[in-house]
Amino acid sequence: MRHIRTSTLASARSPAPTGTGGGLLPTRDLAVAWLLVVLIAVPAWALTIGQARDMGVEPGTMGMALPLFLLLWVTMMAAMMLPSMAPVAITWVRGIGRQSSGWTRTVRTAEFIGGYLLVWTAFGLLAYAALALTGRLVDDHPTAGRWIGSVAFLLAGLYQLGPLKYVCLRHCRDPLSHLVHYAGFRRPARDLRVGVHHGTYCVGCCAGLMVVLIPLGVMNVAAMAGLAVVIFVEKLWSRGPLLARAVGVAFLVLAVLAPFQDWLLPGLQGSMPSMDGM
């Protein structure tokens, strides 16, 4: 009986029920919500692909200044992450819609989205620093790219198999308890805090996958598409954690192969001499 009362209270406080096993919205509302996701994700992918075609895949930051890099980074993250974080976003935004209207609803929704993007922008600063460092190393020591790539795959694989990955993945896969917790946040800026909180878990869930963009190339569209599929399946498929482990093992294998297979390192090629020339 105590469990029933607790569940009832949780449902009353939550903006809307969610989870990996149940429906988030009525079918009609869900269809409209996913249509909006598509309408946002498709232009983001189109812009990302267009920029990638113009810039190609090169080591480091590809000569981009930090503001331009962050703009492209946020666009890339919107394209890659939006489908997988849509269930939580749809649920929370629907709760905002029930509690407010007009400009208040618009501002609260913007706060939630802004908080999420703020976290990914902060992560983009770390990515820019890492790319700048690896780019300089490859320019100064072309053969270093092989070992940088190997270390990147190794770190990504270990992270995929580590405990922090699964704490964050568990949150992203079944966020009901967190949505209940969010409902208890006090104003002001509650929706901003919710976006930051969930965005932090999202970064924690995907950080290892983002590391492999160093050897694969930050503007490598094929790599981005593949990672977006992995992220989506990890979070929404019933066997997502098993996939995460399999991907981690695959990265460890690539870490062993990277020093001897240049084709695994398009993002670190630069002026790196081929294995045939050594």
Side-chain angles (χ1 to χ4, degrees):
M1 182 64 69
R2 182 180 178 183
H3 174 73
I4 294 175
R5 287 199 300 269
T6 303
S7 299
T8 302
L9 178 60
S11 298
R13 294 177 61 197
S14 178
T18 188
T20 57
L24 293 172
L25 302 171
T27 302
R28 181 179 177 182
D29 291 347
L30 187 61
V32 172
W34 275 104
L35 177 60
L36 291 175
V37 170
V38 171
L39 290 177
I40 297 172
V42 168
W45 271 109
L47 178 59
T48 300
I49 293 171
Q51 289 296 325
R53 184 182 295 114
D54 293 338
M55 301 175 67
V57 179
E58 299 178 12
T61 62
M62 296 165 289
M64 285 187 288
L66 180 59
L68 176 58
F69 176 86
L70 290 178
L71 177 61
L72 291 178
W73 177 263
V74 170
T75 302
M76 288 168 52
M77 294 306 105
M80 295 174 65
M81 304 298 169
L82 186 58
S84 63
M85 63 89 64
V88 176
I90 290 169
T91 302
W92 188 258
V93 171
R94 184 172 182 249
I96 291 174
R98 289 204 308 264
Q99 299 167 10
S100 56
S101 60
W103 280 107
T104 301
R105 177 171 58 191
T106 301
V107 170
R108 290 189 60 191
T109 301
E111 281 187 9
F112 170 73
I113 297 173
Y116 186 85
L117 294 179
L118 180 64
V119 175
W120 275 106
T121 300
F123 188 72
L125 292 173
L126 296 178
Y128 186 85
L131 289 168
L133 175 61
T134 57
R136 284 196 296 269
L137 288 174
V138 171
D139 287 341
D140 295 338
H141 308 283
T143 57
R146 298 192 180 94
W147 304 106
I148 293 171
S150 180
V151 170
F153 283 123
L154 176 62
L155 292 176
L158 293 176
Y159 188 89
Q160 283 288 111
L161 299 171
L164 181 58
K165 166 75 178 189
Y166 290 94
V167 170
C168 297
L169 183 59
R170 185 166 60 248
H171 167 95
C172 292
R173 285 175 55 82
D174 192 11
L176 174 58
S177 61
H178 297 278
L179 289 173
V180 173
H181 177 63
Y182 294 158
F185 281 9
R186 294 183 178 180
R187 297 179 181 177
R190 180 177 71 171
D191 301 290
L192 177 66
R193 291 169 59 202
V194 171
V196 168
H197 192 272
H198 183 64
T200 301
Y201 274 100
C202 187
V203 168
C205 186
C206 304
L209 297 173
M210 295 298 102
V211 169
V212 301
L213 287 176
I214 293 176
L216 296 180
V218 72
M219 296 303 292
N220 186 331
V221 174
M224 285 188 285
L227 292 175
V229 171
V230 170
I231 292 167
F232 184 86
V233 176
E234 277 187 355
K235 292 183 179 181
L236 301 181
W237 186 36
S238 60
R239 298 185 179 181
L242 180 61
L243 173 65
R245 292 185 178 91
V247 171
V249 172
F251 286 161
L252 294 181
V253 173
L254 294 179
V256 175
L257 297 177
F260 313 103
Q261 301 292 331
D262 292 348
W263 63 272
L264 290 174
L265 309 171
L268 293 170
Q269 291 289 330
S271 57
M272 185 170 64
S274 66
M275 291 295 294
D276 294 337
M278 294 185 64

